[in-house]
Amino acid sequence: MGNILDILKFGWPYLRKYRHRLAVAIVLGICFGLFNASFVWGTKTLFERLGGDKSPPVAEKTATGSIGDVQKFLLHTKETADEVVDYWLPPFDKETNSIDNFRRMVGAILFLPMLVMLRGATGYATGYLMGWVSENAIKDLKLDIHKKLQTLSLGYFQHREMGGQTMLFNTGVGAVWRCLYCGFSDLVKEPFALLSIIVALLILDWKLTIVGLVFLPLTIGPVIILGRKIRKQSEIAYEKGEDQDSLIVEVYSNIRLIKAYCLERLQQKRFEKLYQQLARAGIKRWQAKEIVNPAVEFLAMIGFGVLLAYIFWEGRSIPQLIGFMTGMIMLYQPVKKLAGINTYFQEAVVGANMVRDAMKEEPAVKEDSAALELKEFSEEIKFEGLEFSYEKKAVLQNFDFKISKGMKMGVVGESGAGKSTLVSLLLRFYDPTKGRIAIDGTDIRDVSFESLRKQMALVSQEVVIFDQTVSENIACGKLNATREELIDAAKAANAHEFIEGLPEGYDTRLGEQGTRLSGGQRQRIAIARAFVRQAPILVLDEATASLDSKAEAEVQAAIDRLEQGRTVLCVAHRLSTLQKMDKIIVLEQGRVVESGSFEELLGAGGIFSEMAAKQGLKTTD
Ligand code: ADP
């Protein structure tokens, strides 16, 4: 019960929007439940007529008070229904004319199908409406999660496996969806089905009903015990499923390297181990799930056996027995369904908890509620007493620096020196632990993300190409760019020619990660993206590091053009790319250890000239 309330509480904010449809679905679900009772009455009525035997209702004289009133009302309803069908069904005495016979024959043939149709139509409408509501509610939930995830800071994603995100949507939200669609619909329909059948049976023969129902509560035991087991195994399966998703992403996005190093067998072993664990958890879950129904059926049949013995003992008319047996058989259908509901809800609780955990996350880097709009960059970027550490590891220390408008600033240092971290801080992916970064005197923590990032165009080593058309990929730099602007940007980036050569030119879809393009081509698309952005600050983070020398030359020409008239922060490991910088700083373990122009540093005999010598660069004098 707790699980059901928990899921309803979780789902209500999303269901509320569709409450009118939901209300109709519930009403129809109740009707569906109530129509079940009509079968008990229907079969009894039909067989009474066929056998010409009409027995008096047994329960009629039993109850008093308000229960008696309800019973009287139900009996009255039944009698009215009896009167209506009298016209259509075979009579008790069989002495009628031929026209009557024909009509009654049609009535007899169509009587049960009509009942089935009514029940089926309400069942279908409930199912359809519940499906509609749950699909839409889940759509809203997924959008909400995406909205939340996209507000979270870079740190959140760097500490999590990719599989965690896909699992959250596929399995976590999937379980909630199944529960809303199947579980919730059964939760509405089946209790009413159960109740209405029990009431019909009580009216038919209360003594038999009580004997028949004695075993019903016993069926709850296995449902509860097995439900707990299902939940535990679901948790394990979800955890392993997350590992599976991460491994798939890891292996297939790095397939080149795996093939190059012949790591296929090793990866296969990792899959094998994981799938074994997954299969084990899955089997245990199936075991628990599949045993619920047989356990319920077994206990129900014991009840049925006791009932049969009682019937022998007491003696009842055949139509009454057939009606009663129909009811008893139908009774266990909702019982079984309600037992199944528990499974849906147990699984959904695990899924809902995953979603709740993600929704609870707060972005480490928050936008100020009274954030200012940063004006167009006009003077300088200042790093003042900047310190930063990832958890406990100090990455930048005592970092003081100034980049004036129009200046081209290079940052070098060995791998791990903190160069990319500096870029991340400037774009405000992280906040400094101490000190501040100010643009034109305004702390970047006081301005909106959009107005800050709009000032910058980032071109980095890892080029991201979306599975969209070339023009859509370039337009990422400026969403409302015109076709002309996009083409101009591509031309400036030396990309126009090869784009024209693609099968559909600018409308060619690039496929995930732009697998159709070479490294240099992808980088030139990224540069076109930066061009179209028309941002005053250009941030280059090892932009040419992964290219061969021919591609580098092409890309470098485009970058040179892009740098014109912009303020540039260029992070590079390869020193030759920094020759045109006005100033270069050398980072070592997060500290500035040298600074000066390319030539000055080359002749200074410090870390820079050491690095230059290693890379085969010589002083020009
Ligand atoms: P560079 O760009 O100069 O190679 P980085 O700025 O990437 O250096 O990294 C500086 C240091 O911070 C390295 O020692 C690196 O291991 C560490 N580091 C980088 N990113 C993270 C992170 N997300 N969490 C923890 N440590 C990190």
Side-chain angles (χ1 to χ4, degrees):
M1 198 64 198
N3 292 334
I4 296 177
L5 287 179
D6 192 32
I7 290 299
L8 289 183
K9 209 167 100 192
F10 173 79
W12 182 240
Y14 300 96
L15 294 171
R16 196 169 48 197
K17 199 166 145 197
Y18 308 108
R19 59 187 177 282
H20 299 302
R21 272 191 170 79
L22 186 66
V24 177
I26 291 174
V27 171
L28 285 171
I30 294 170
C31 292
F32 169 85
L34 298 179
F35 274 127
N36 281 278
S38 64
F39 277 88
V40 180
W41 160 77
T43 40
K44 182 181 158 264
T45 299
L46 208 57
F47 279 91
E48 268 173 3
R49 286 157 199 275
L50 293 177
D53 164 34
K54 186 172 173 43
S55 53
V58 180
E60 208 161 3
K61 308 150 212 103
T62 52
T64 53
S66 62
I67 294 178
D69 290 342
V70 173
Q71 205 179 44
K72 262 188 216 141
F73 167 75
L74 293 169
L75 279 172
H76 177 70
T77 313
K78 180 182 159 295
E79 273 159 21
T80 318
D82 277 339
E83 272 167 34
V84 173
V85 296
D86 245 2
Y87 181 72
W88 285 99
L89 292 185
F92 292 101
D93 52 18
K94 295 195 171 137
E95 308 247 317
T96 45
N97 62 40
S98 59
I99 296 174
D100 267 4
N101 274 345
F102 178 72
R103 185 186 68 227
R104 287 169 192 275
M105 187 63 77
V106 172
I109 293 171
L110 292 181
F111 181 57
L112 286 182
M114 289 298 275
L115 287 184
V116 172
M117 201 186 76
L118 274 176
R119 180 176 172 268
T122 45
Y124 167 78
T126 316
Y128 171 76
L129 284 172
M130 282 308 299
W132 196 96
V133 170
S134 52
E135 291 293 349
N136 278 290
I138 289 296
K139 173 200 76 190
D140 294 345
L141 171 65
K142 283 184 180 173
L143 286 174
D144 237 23
I145 302 173
H146 280 299
K147 198 168 160 191
K148 176 76 194 188
L149 287 181
Q150 296 194 48
T151 64
L152 296 179
S153 310
L154 207 60
Y156 173 85
F157 299 97
Q158 286 183 336
H159 287 113
R160 267 165 194 82
E161 289 179 298
M162 206 44 223
Q165 318 304 337
T166 53
M167 197 65 189
L168 179 63
F169 286 94
N170 294 343
T171 317
V173 179
V176 178
W177 171 80
R178 263 192 310 282
C179 178
L180 285 187
Y181 179 52
C182 308
F184 195 61
S185 146
D186 283 351
L187 184 70
V188 172
K189 287 194 285 192
E190 302 308 333
F192 283 96
L194 192 68
L195 204 72
S196 69
I197 296 169
I198 290 176
V199 170
L201 287 174
L202 281 170
I203 292 174
L204 199 65
D205 193 327
W206 68 272
K207 276 192 202 155
L208 276 190
T209 310
I210 287 171
V211 176
L213 293 184
V214 164
F215 282 82
L216 201 60
L218 281 185
T219 55
I220 295 168
V223 171
I224 293 175
I225 297 166
L226 294 168
R228 273 193 213 126
K229 200 168 168 194
I230 290 167
R231 180 159 162 186
K232 194 171 148 235
Q233 293 308 324
S234 296
E235 275 165 1
I236 297 175
Y238 285 6
E239 217 174 274
K240 295 288 159 209
E242 209 169 299
D243 294 346
Q244 171 201 240
D245 288 8
S246 298
L247 192 61
I248 289 175
V249 173
E250 191 181 308
V251 170
Y252 294 109
S253 56
N254 295 310
I255 195 76
R256 277 187 77 186
L257 181 105
I258 287 169
K259 283 190 182 296
Y261 283 80
C262 299
L263 297 175
E264 291 95 335
R265 227 176 294 154
L266 182 77
Q267 304 308 326
Q268 194 61 19
K269 283 223 175 80
R270 289 174 77 193
F271 276 122
E272 216 172 282
K273 191 170 159 216
L274 188 72
Y275 283 135
Q276 243 156 22
Q277 292 168 329
L278 207 58
R280 209 170 300 138
I283 291 166
K284 282 195 182 152
R285 196 158 51 138
W286 278 115
Q287 211 178 23
K289 241 182 192 173
E290 291 302 311
I291 210 152
V292 174
N293 272 348
V296 168
E297 268 168 8
F298 175 70
L299 290 168
M301 279 304 129
I302 292 182
F304 211 66
V306 172
L307 183 69
L308 280 180
Y310 184 77
I311 288 170
F312 274 126
W313 184 267
E314 287 269 300
R316 289 284 192 275
S317 77
I318 297 293
Q320 211 177 0
L321 268 186
I322 291 176
F324 193 80
M325 288 302 175
T326 310
M328 282 311 282
I329 292 165
M330 285 181 72
L331 187 69
Y332 280 95
Q333 183 73 7
V335 172
K336 276 199 298 192
K337 285 244 172 107
L338 287 171
I341 282 180
N342 194 38
T343 313
Y344 289 126
F345 278 88
Q346 297 282 10
E347 288 182 351
V349 167
V350 181
N353 285 341
M354 285 167 79
V355 176
R356 277 198 191 109
D357 286 345
M359 296 298 254
K360 256 195 285 186
E361 288 288 337
E362 281 297 319
V365 180
K366 282 197 194 115
E367 193 173 62
D368 197 277
S369 56
L372 308 168
E373 285 299 293
L374 185 63
K375 302 230 169 57
E376 169 101 17
F377 174 54
S378 62
E379 282 172 37
E380 59 177 18
I381 307 169
K382 235 175 159 181
F383 300 87
E384 297 171 8
L386 207 62
E387 285 186 19
F388 180 73
S389 46
Y390 291 107
E391 281 131 36
K392 284 189 189 113
K393 190 174 187 297
V395 178
L396 283 179
Q397 298 169 65
N398 290 329
F399 192 85
D400 277 287
F401 219 82
K402 195 172 89 178
I403 309 174
S404 307
K405 186 174 162 69
M407 188 173 168
K408 294 185 186 7
M409 168 91 174
V411 182
V412 289
E414 296 292 354
S415 173
K419 304 182 295 291
S420 296
T421 305
L422 190 64
V423 170
S424 296
L425 288 173
L426 179 61
L427 282 149
R428 218 185 151 213
F429 295 149
Y430 299 97
D431 275 336
T433 343
K434 229 174 165 187
R436 67 170 200 160
I437 301 175
I439 295 184
D440 296 339
T442 311
D443 190 326
I444 60 169
R445 281 172 293 201
D446 297 336
V447 301
S448 72
F449 286 134
E450 201 180 333
S451 72
L452 170 71
R453 293 174 188 162
K454 218 165 62 184
Q455 308 280 339
M456 300 178 211
L458 171 71
V459 181
S460 57
Q461 184 176 356
E462 307 93 39
V463 179
V464 176
I465 298 287
F466 295 102
D467 183 14
Q468 289 175 303
T469 63
V470 177
S471 48
E472 281 168 327
N473 263 289
I474 299 176
C476 290
K478 185 180 170 197
L479 294 180
N480 54 358
T482 62
R483 187 78 170 188
E484 283 66 43
E485 282 180 283
L486 296 178
I487 294 175
D488 286 347
K491 280 182 180 159
N494 284 345
H496 180 69
E497 228 167 87
F498 85 79
I499 294 172
E500 290 280 85
L502 292 173
E504 288 163 68
Y506 282 82
D507 297 318
T508 313
R509 260 181 94 100
L510 290 177
E512 206 176 335
Q513 281 305 305
T515 37
R516 294 174 178 207
L517 304 177
S518 73
Q521 289 173 330
R522 289 164 41 150
Q523 191 58 288
R524 277 180 280 158
I525 296 227
I527 292 167
R529 208 180 262 164
F531 260 114
V532 84
R533 195 167 180 77
Q534 290 168 344
I537 303 169
L538 175 65
V539 183
L540 301 165
D541 189 359
E542 307 269 11
T544 55
S546 59
L547 302 177
D548 58 49
S549 48
K550 183 172 173 283
E552 190 192 354
E554 285 166 350
V555 170
Q556 193 58 51
I559 288 179
D560 288 346
R561 205 171 302 142
L562 182 61
E563 284 176 357
Q564 282 165 24
R566 291 193 167 84
T567 308
V568 179
L569 178 72
C570 176
V571 168
H573 184 76
R574 213 182 284 172
L575 304 185
S576 56
T577 52
L578 296 173
Q579 271 164 345
K580 293 191 195 109
M581 294 292 125
D582 299 318
K583 194 162 188 181
I584 297 168
I585 55 171
V586 183
L587 279 184
E588 194 183 49
Q589 291 183 357
R591 289 173 202 271
V592 181
V593 285
E594 283 175 39
S595 70
S597 70
F598 190 82
E599 298 303 328
E600 280 166 8
L601 288 173
L602 214 50
I607 295 179
F608 189 89
S609 53
E610 230 173 78
M611 283 173 79
K614 273 191 224 156
Q615 293 180 19
L617 287 172
K618 290 195 179 72
T619 41
T620 44
D621 53 24

PDB file of all heavy atoms in Angstrom, residues 254-267:
ATOM      1  N   ASN A 254      34.604   3.611 -28.875  1.00  0.00           N
ATOM      2  CA  ASN A 254      36.064   3.527 -28.996  1.00  0.00           C
ATOM      3  C   ASN A 254      36.475   2.322 -29.827  1.00  0.00           C
ATOM      4  O   ASN A 254      37.534   1.736 -29.605  1.00  0.00           O
ATOM      5  CB  ASN A 254      36.695   3.440 -27.608  1.00  0.00           C
ATOM      6  CG  ASN A 254      36.444   4.702 -26.822  1.00  0.00           C
ATOM      7  OD1 ASN A 254      36.680   5.793 -27.319  1.00  0.00           O
ATOM      8  ND2 ASN A 254      35.925   4.562 -25.620  1.00  0.00           N
ATOM      9  N   ILE A 255      35.616   1.955 -30.770  1.00  0.00           N
ATOM     10  CA  ILE A 255      35.841   0.708 -31.504  1.00  0.00           C
ATOM     11  C   ILE A 255      37.149   0.732 -32.311  1.00  0.00           C
ATOM     12  O   ILE A 255      37.798  -0.300 -32.472  1.00  0.00           O
ATOM     13  CB  ILE A 255      34.601   0.374 -32.385  1.00  0.00           C
ATOM     14  CG1 ILE A 255      34.648  -1.074 -32.872  1.00  0.00           C
ATOM     15  CG2 ILE A 255      34.436   1.354 -33.525  1.00  0.00           C
ATOM     16  CD1 ILE A 255      34.277  -2.070 -31.825  1.00  0.00           C
ATOM     17  N   ARG A 256      37.548   1.928 -32.734  1.00  0.00           N
ATOM     18  CA  ARG A 256      38.803   2.027 -33.507  1.00  0.00           C
ATOM     19  C   ARG A 256      39.973   1.538 -32.674  1.00  0.00           C
ATOM     20  O   ARG A 256      40.776   0.726 -33.111  1.00  0.00           O
ATOM     21  CB  ARG A 256      39.054   3.484 -33.899  1.00  0.00           C
ATOM     22  CG  ARG A 256      38.324   3.909 -35.127  1.00  0.00           C
ATOM     23  CD  ARG A 256      38.749   5.273 -35.545  1.00  0.00           C
ATOM     24  NE  ARG A 256      40.052   5.228 -36.209  1.00  0.00           N
ATOM     25  CZ  ARG A 256      40.715   6.296 -36.587  1.00  0.00           C
ATOM     26  NH1 ARG A 256      40.232   7.476 -36.346  1.00  0.00           N
ATOM     27  NH2 ARG A 256      41.863   6.184 -37.187  1.00  0.00           N
ATOM     28  N   LEU A 257      40.029   2.079 -31.465  1.00  0.00           N
ATOM     29  CA  LEU A 257      41.135   1.720 -30.587  1.00  0.00           C
ATOM     30  C   LEU A 257      41.072   0.239 -30.220  1.00  0.00           C
ATOM     31  O   LEU A 257      42.081  -0.468 -30.212  1.00  0.00           O
ATOM     32  CB  LEU A 257      41.061   2.559 -29.315  1.00  0.00           C
ATOM     33  CG  LEU A 257      42.197   2.262 -28.364  1.00  0.00           C
ATOM     34  CD1 LEU A 257      43.191   3.403 -28.413  1.00  0.00           C
ATOM     35  CD2 LEU A 257      41.714   2.046 -26.952  1.00  0.00           C
ATOM     36  N   ILE A 258      39.864  -0.239 -29.975  1.00  0.00           N
ATOM     37  CA  ILE A 258      39.702  -1.646 -29.592  1.00  0.00           C
ATOM     38  C   ILE A 258      40.207  -2.556 -30.703  1.00  0.00           C
ATOM     39  O   ILE A 258      40.923  -3.529 -30.463  1.00  0.00           O
ATOM     40  CB  ILE A 258      38.226  -1.914 -29.222  1.00  0.00           C
ATOM     41  CG1 ILE A 258      37.952  -1.255 -27.874  1.00  0.00           C
ATOM     42  CG2 ILE A 258      37.922  -3.402 -29.159  1.00  0.00           C
ATOM     43  CD1 ILE A 258      36.528  -1.180 -27.473  1.00  0.00           C
ATOM     44  N   LYS A 259      39.861  -2.206 -31.919  1.00  0.00           N
ATOM     45  CA  LYS A 259      40.326  -3.022 -33.053  1.00  0.00           C
ATOM     46  C   LYS A 259      41.838  -2.899 -33.214  1.00  0.00           C
ATOM     47  O   LYS A 259      42.539  -3.892 -33.419  1.00  0.00           O
ATOM     48  CB  LYS A 259      39.624  -2.576 -34.338  1.00  0.00           C
ATOM     49  CG  LYS A 259      38.202  -3.086 -34.427  1.00  0.00           C
ATOM     50  CD  LYS A 259      37.659  -2.834 -35.811  1.00  0.00           C
ATOM     51  CE  LYS A 259      36.224  -3.283 -35.927  1.00  0.00           C
ATOM     52  NZ  LYS A 259      36.054  -4.733 -35.753  1.00  0.00           N
ATOM     53  N   ALA A 260      42.332  -1.657 -33.085  1.00  0.00           N
ATOM     54  CA  ALA A 260      43.761  -1.439 -33.297  1.00  0.00           C
ATOM     55  C   ALA A 260      44.603  -2.233 -32.313  1.00  0.00           C
ATOM     56  O   ALA A 260      45.667  -2.737 -32.652  1.00  0.00           O
ATOM     57  CB  ALA A 260      44.063   0.048 -33.177  1.00  0.00           C
ATOM     58  N   TYR A 261      44.099  -2.366 -31.100  1.00  0.00           N
ATOM     59  CA  TYR A 261      44.865  -3.103 -30.098  1.00  0.00           C
ATOM     60  C   TYR A 261      44.376  -4.539 -29.904  1.00  0.00           C
ATOM     61  O   TYR A 261      44.753  -5.198 -28.957  1.00  0.00           O
ATOM     62  CB  TYR A 261      44.829  -2.348 -28.762  1.00  0.00           C
ATOM     63  CG  TYR A 261      45.756  -1.157 -28.744  1.00  0.00           C
ATOM     64  CD1 TYR A 261      45.382   0.039 -29.330  1.00  0.00           C
ATOM     65  CD2 TYR A 261      47.016  -1.243 -28.155  1.00  0.00           C
ATOM     66  CE1 TYR A 261      46.229   1.131 -29.343  1.00  0.00           C
ATOM     67  CE2 TYR A 261      47.870  -0.160 -28.163  1.00  0.00           C
ATOM     68  CZ  TYR A 261      47.475   1.032 -28.753  1.00  0.00           C
ATOM     69  OH  TYR A 261      48.324   2.100 -28.756  1.00  0.00           O
ATOM     70  N   CYS A 262      43.517  -4.979 -30.808  1.00  0.00           N
ATOM     71  CA  CYS A 262      42.942  -6.331 -30.741  1.00  0.00           C
ATOM     72  C   CYS A 262      42.358  -6.612 -29.358  1.00  0.00           C
ATOM     73  O   CYS A 262      42.677  -7.608 -28.714  1.00  0.00           O
ATOM     74  CB  CYS A 262      43.987  -7.393 -31.077  1.00  0.00           C
ATOM     75  SG  CYS A 262      44.612  -7.197 -32.719  1.00  0.00           S
ATOM     76  N   LEU A 263      41.536  -5.689 -28.890  1.00  0.00           N
ATOM     77  CA  LEU A 263      40.978  -5.847 -27.539  1.00  0.00           C
ATOM     78  C   LEU A 263      39.581  -6.475 -27.564  1.00  0.00           C
ATOM     79  O   LEU A 263      38.905  -6.508 -26.551  1.00  0.00           O
ATOM     80  CB  LEU A 263      40.890  -4.476 -26.867  1.00  0.00           C
ATOM     81  CG  LEU A 263      42.223  -3.758 -26.641  1.00  0.00           C
ATOM     82  CD1 LEU A 263      41.995  -2.365 -26.094  1.00  0.00           C
ATOM     83  CD2 LEU A 263      43.099  -4.550 -25.683  1.00  0.00           C
ATOM     84  N   GLU A 264      39.174  -6.992 -28.723  1.00  0.00           N
ATOM     85  CA  GLU A 264      37.801  -7.490 -28.854  1.00  0.00           C
ATOM     86  C   GLU A 264      37.495  -8.576 -27.827  1.00  0.00           C
ATOM     87  O   GLU A 264      36.451  -8.568 -27.185  1.00  0.00           O
ATOM     88  CB  GLU A 264      37.533  -8.055 -30.252  1.00  0.00           C
ATOM     89  CG  GLU A 264      37.505  -7.027 -31.360  1.00  0.00           C
ATOM     90  CD  GLU A 264      38.833  -6.892 -32.059  1.00  0.00           C
ATOM     91  OE1 GLU A 264      39.867  -7.213 -31.429  1.00  0.00           O
ATOM     92  OE2 GLU A 264      38.867  -6.462 -33.231  1.00  0.00           O
ATOM     93  N   ARG A 265      38.472  -9.502 -27.691  1.00  0.00           N
ATOM     94  CA  ARG A 265      38.193 -10.628 -26.792  1.00  0.00           C
ATOM     95  C   ARG A 265      38.082 -10.158 -25.332  1.00  0.00           C
ATOM     96  O   ARG A 265      37.254 -10.638 -24.576  1.00  0.00           O
ATOM     97  CB  ARG A 265      39.276 -11.696 -26.938  1.00  0.00           C
ATOM     98  CG  ARG A 265      38.606 -13.067 -27.064  1.00  0.00           C
ATOM     99  CD  ARG A 265      39.559 -14.179 -27.295  1.00  0.00           C
ATOM    100  NE  ARG A 265      40.231 -14.072 -28.584  1.00  0.00           N
ATOM    101  CZ  ARG A 265      41.439 -14.598 -28.810  1.00  0.00           C
ATOM    102  NH1 ARG A 265      42.091 -15.229 -27.869  1.00  0.00           N
ATOM    103  NH2 ARG A 265      41.986 -14.496 -30.006  1.00  0.00           N
ATOM    104  N   LEU A 266      38.941  -9.189 -25.003  1.00  0.00           N
ATOM    105  CA  LEU A 266      38.923  -8.653 -23.641  1.00  0.00           C
ATOM    106  C   LEU A 266      37.572  -7.991 -23.348  1.00  0.00           C
ATOM    107  O   LEU A 266      36.950  -8.223 -22.303  1.00  0.00           O
ATOM    108  CB  LEU A 266      40.040  -7.617 -23.493  1.00  0.00           C
ATOM    109  CG  LEU A 266      40.172  -7.018 -22.112  1.00  0.00           C
ATOM    110  CD1 LEU A 266      40.859  -8.004 -21.177  1.00  0.00           C
ATOM    111  CD2 LEU A 266      40.966  -5.714 -22.177  1.00  0.00           C
ATOM    112  N   GLN A 267      37.085  -7.223 -24.326  1.00  0.00           N
ATOM    113  CA  GLN A 267      35.800  -6.549 -24.151  1.00  0.00           C
ATOM    114  C   GLN A 267      34.678  -7.575 -24.057  1.00  0.00           C
ATOM    115  O   GLN A 267      33.749  -7.431 -23.271  1.00  0.00           O
ATOM    116  CB  GLN A 267      35.508  -5.575 -25.312  1.00  0.00           C
ATOM    117  CG  GLN A 267      36.560  -4.524 -25.538  1.00  0.00           C
ATOM    118  CD  GLN A 267      36.908  -3.748 -24.284  1.00  0.00           C
ATOM    119  OE1 GLN A 267      36.053  -3.504 -23.441  1.00  0.00           O
ATOM    120  NE2 GLN A 267      38.169  -3.400 -24.134  1.00  0.00           N
TER     121      GLN A 267
END
